[in-house]
Amino acid sequence: MEEDEVVDGDFYLLAKSYFDCREYRRAAHVLQDQTGKKATFLRCYALYLAGEKRKEEEMIELEGPLGKSDAVNREVASLERELSILRKNGIIDPFGLYLYGLVLIEKGNQNLARTVLMESVNSYPWNWSAWSELQSLCTTIEILNSLTLSNHWMKEFFLASAYQELRMHNESLTKYEHLQNTFSFSNYIRAQIAKAQYCLREFEQVEVIFEELLRNDPYRVEDVDMYSNVLYAKECFSALSYLAHRVFMTDKYRPESCCIIGNYYSLKGQHEKSVLYFRRALKLNKNYLSAWTLMGHEYVEMKNTPAAIDAYRRAVDINPRDYRAWYGLGQAYEMMGMPFYALHYFKKSVFLQSNDSRLWIAMAQCYETDQLHMLEEAIKCYRRAASCNDREAIALHQLAKLHAELGRSEEAALYYKKDLERMEAEEREGPNMVEALLFLAQHCREQKRFEEAEVYCTRLLDYTGPEKETAKSMLRGMRTAESSFPLMDIEHFHP
């Protein structure tokens, strides 16, 4: 590096000044006769960015700021030839290898790109951009495990981030917690721990972490949109309103800020205004994944299914591992009365996030539709949902109903009993409790378990409606059938 500075000093500094002013072709021209490694990297990188800039301009000219386009970086072919020769001759530095990896990814040569990026991070482990590009190529755990990486603390950051991307949230959380022992004051690590817990749906912990983060770093905008998603899910209107105002005053032209404000308007039920802010986020960064997915959700609320499908498709184009976008596509096709298509997308989402009960329930409901009517498959899905901490308590009730519909009264009674116990523990009342009590009363009566039946019937007498009369009738019937069985006097219960 020092030799390079002696040889290329003035030229390099002039080119770097042009580069910092985003005059990339001027920077490349100044360095065209310089041969040092630093100068070569800066020239090639300037050409690459000039090509990217022109590609962006073509995309906007052809399709508008949010349109799709086939525009390509025209500098890639010549850069690939030059960097390939430099690598063969062994006169390329780790930054040149990083750029070569970028070029290979653009050309679609992923295997060689992985090898080149591995060489780059092993030579110079502190370049996080190279690690990030390498991570984008690790689409399965098998590929990740096949990498040959030098032992370095940056490798631990890479693995934690890669595990998160591969939906291995518990492993990612363990890595980040281990790193926190060394980097105890790192806000980045705290935010990543919050992200892992958000994916595990541990919203209370996420809220605590972000409250502490914003106390320590009050002008932070990065990752705060995730916090707004938590506040939205918990319907914390005042907290979300305060957060939206806070980021608006800090930096309103950030994609994260626009998404937070979009969430605020969505919670208020102003879906058109919410879409406006999500579109603004995408004008600032058209590859901002959250904005596409959230905009799809808003279009679903507005019953604009074609626009929702388009938004979700753009999200999965950016990241095929985003289960929320696949789930959104399933919902949209379900709304259109196309359960076969919906099922296809729900399967993709559940493959990526197998511990989310909502996805299993959505699949089960698809199997229950009149077009499919595959009740055994629906039962399997509801069982998985019940084992995945079904917070909405839908799965147990549906399992009971399906078993009852298929004439399996013992299994139905088991699930109704479990559902009843859960409702009692959560102190919930409602039609589901009445349905469970009525079924269990009838089932116990048929099984000649009159004492249990009486308990359920007695509880039904507390309700107003037809179930009360049914319970009275059952109690009278049981008195007749078992005259020796000492039943309480039902007339004591006021009508």
Side-chain angles (χ1 to χ4, degrees):
M1 291 294 186
E2 289 75 13
E3 287 174 20
D4 285 356
E5 283 163 19
V6 171
V7 176
D8 301 331
D10 292 342
F11 290 106
Y12 178 82
L13 289 172
L14 177 59
K16 185 69 169 63
S17 300
Y18 287 145
F19 184 91
D20 291 342
C21 295
R22 299 189 180 186
E23 295 187 56
Y24 301 123
R25 291 199 185 279
R26 264 183 111 180
H29 177 74
V30 167
L31 295 170
Q32 63 184 352
D33 297 325
Q34 309 308 308
T35 55
K37 287 179 182 177
K38 268 178 86 174
T40 302
F41 165 72
L42 187 61
R43 177 174 54 78
C44 291
Y45 194 41
L47 283 172
Y48 175 79
L49 289 179
E52 284 294 297
K53 188 179 176 183
R54 183 65 199 131
K55 182 174 85 171
E56 291 283 328
E57 289 165 357
E58 282 179 20
M59 286 170 72
I60 292 168
E61 287 160 10
L62 295 169
E63 300 289 341
L66 300 184
K68 289 183 179 179
S69 172
D70 297 325
V72 293
N73 185 336
R74 294 178 187 175
E75 301 295 334
V76 162
S78 60
L79 284 171
E80 184 186 18
R81 284 194 297 274
E82 182 178 350
L83 292 166
S84 171
I85 291 164
L86 290 172
R87 179 170 172 257
K88 278 178 188 169
N89 295 337
I91 49 172
I92 192 169
D93 68 354
F95 296 97
L97 287 168
Y98 158 65
L99 180 59
Y100 187 28
L102 280 182
V103 167
L104 290 167
I105 290 170
E106 190 99 9
K107 294 282 283 183
N109 190 347
Q110 295 196 350
N111 290 331
L112 183 54
R114 261 194 298 274
T115 305
V116 167
L117 288 166
M118 265 196 294
E119 290 173 17
S120 175
V121 297
N122 285 338
S123 303
Y124 186 85
W126 299 275
N127 181 7
W128 182 246
S129 296
W131 287 108
S132 297
E133 293 300 330
L134 182 59
Q135 180 189 305
S136 72
L137 299 172
C138 299
T139 49
T140 65
I141 187 63
E142 289 76 25
I143 293 173
L144 182 65
N145 290 336
S146 70
L147 300 179
T148 310
L149 299 168
S150 303
N151 278 329
H152 191 275
W153 52 265
M154 281 295 285
K155 178 186 171 184
E156 299 304 305
F157 277 96
F158 165 72
L159 288 174
S161 183
Y163 287 150
Q164 202 163 72
E165 199 61 32
L166 292 169
R167 324 299 305 177
M168 297 165 64
H169 303 303
N170 288 313
E171 291 84 347
S172 174
L173 194 57
T174 305
K175 281 275 180 199
Y176 280 124
E177 284 170 349
H178 176 68
L179 282 165
Q180 199 174 30
N181 295 333
T182 308
F183 303 94
S184 52
F185 298 105
S186 168
N187 285 341
Y188 168 80
I189 292 175
R190 284 178 192 160
Q192 295 309 306
I193 288 171
K195 193 173 179 181
Q197 289 179 327
Y198 174 76
C199 294
L200 293 166
R201 298 183 61 74
E202 294 172 359
F203 293 157
E204 299 298 330
Q205 290 94 316
V206 176
E207 201 173 353
V208 169
I209 290 170
F210 271 107
E211 282 170 2
E212 187 187 348
L213 267 178
L214 290 171
R215 272 197 302 274
N216 297 337
D217 189 0
Y219 299 103
R220 183 187 182 92
V221 177
E222 188 184 357
D223 300 316
V224 177
D225 54 329
M226 188 202 311
Y227 179 37
S228 80
N229 291 342
V230 171
L231 296 176
Y232 181 93
K234 294 179 72 179
E235 297 183 3
C236 299
F237 186 83
S238 57
L240 184 54
S241 171
Y242 174 71
L243 184 66
H245 178 74
R246 186 174 182 161
V247 294
F248 182 84
M249 298 307 290
T250 302
D251 188 350
K252 65 180 178 181
Y253 294 116
R254 283 275 293 270
E256 296 94 333
S257 301
C258 294
C259 280
I260 292 164
I261 297 165
N263 270 341
Y264 165 70
Y265 282 117
S266 177
L267 193 58
K268 279 183 79 175
Q270 297 181 20
H271 302 298
E272 291 84 359
K273 209 159 185 179
S274 180
V275 166
L276 189 71
Y277 276 94
F278 291 135
R279 290 188 74 82
R280 188 175 291 178
L282 291 164
K283 282 179 183 174
L284 294 164
N285 178 1
K286 67 182 174 57
N287 291 326
Y288 198 64
L289 184 66
S290 287
W292 283 115
T293 308
L294 292 169
M295 191 163 75
H297 296 342
E298 293 309 300
Y299 281 129
V300 166
E301 291 292 331
M302 293 160 67
K303 304 291 188 286
N304 187 349
T305 315
I309 287 171
D310 182 57
Y312 289 134
R313 286 198 186 283
R314 293 295 294 272
V316 296
D317 285 346
I318 294 164
N319 182 3
R321 299 192 64 79
D322 180 26
Y323 79 94
R324 297 170 305 164
W326 291 116
Y327 174 64
L329 278 168
Q331 276 188 312
Y333 279 106
E334 193 174 36
M335 282 171 65
M336 293 167 71
M338 300 166 75
F340 286 96
Y341 281 92
L343 189 62
H344 169 72
Y345 293 118
F346 285 141
K347 280 181 177 175
K348 280 184 172 289
S349 70
V350 90
F351 174 74
L352 293 167
Q353 184 81 349
S354 57
N355 64 346
D356 194 327
S357 62
R358 297 168 303 167
L359 310 184
W360 289 108
I361 287 167
M363 263 180 75
Q365 287 168 345
C366 253
Y367 282 124
E368 282 186 272
T369 55
D370 293 336
Q371 291 103 311
L372 292 170
H373 203 68
M374 297 166 68
L375 299 185
E376 291 297 340
E377 294 301 316
I379 284 171
K380 287 177 189 172
C381 292
Y382 281 128
R383 277 184 186 145
R384 284 297 299 268
S387 67
C388 293
N389 189 18
D390 172 27
R391 297 183 185 193
E392 286 80 18
I394 296 169
L396 287 174
H397 183 71
Q398 290 300 117
L399 279 166
K401 282 181 78 169
L402 284 175
H403 281 299
E405 193 179 323
L406 293 166
R408 302 171 187 163
S409 58
E410 280 299 327
E411 289 93 333
L414 176 70
Y415 285 113
Y416 271 125
K417 202 164 187 177
K418 281 184 180 177
D419 193 29
L420 190 63
E421 285 167 3
R422 178 164 180 165
M423 284 186 279
E424 286 167 351
E426 294 172 4
E427 297 181 353
R428 281 192 291 116
E429 295 284 336
N432 286 4
M433 182 169 273
V434 172
E435 189 182 320
L437 289 168
L438 196 56
F439 181 88
L440 288 166
Q442 289 167 341
H443 176 71
C444 291
R445 186 186 64 176
E446 285 162 13
Q447 299 292 313
K448 310 292 186 202
R449 303 206 308 264
F450 294 124
E451 272 189 52
E452 279 184 68
E454 183 197 355
V455 171
Y456 294 125
C457 285
T458 306
R459 287 181 66 179
L460 280 167
L461 294 172
D462 294 335
Y463 293 89
T464 55
E467 60 275 358
K468 181 173 181 176
E469 295 308 315
T470 308
K472 281 185 177 183
S473 170
M474 286 168 68
L475 282 166
R476 288 194 193 98
M478 284 187 286
R479 175 180 282 177
T480 307
E482 281 280 322
S483 54
S484 61
F485 186 72
L487 286 174
M488 63 181 71
D489 186 0
I490 59 169
E491 298 305 321
H492 287 176
F493 293 92
H494 299 296

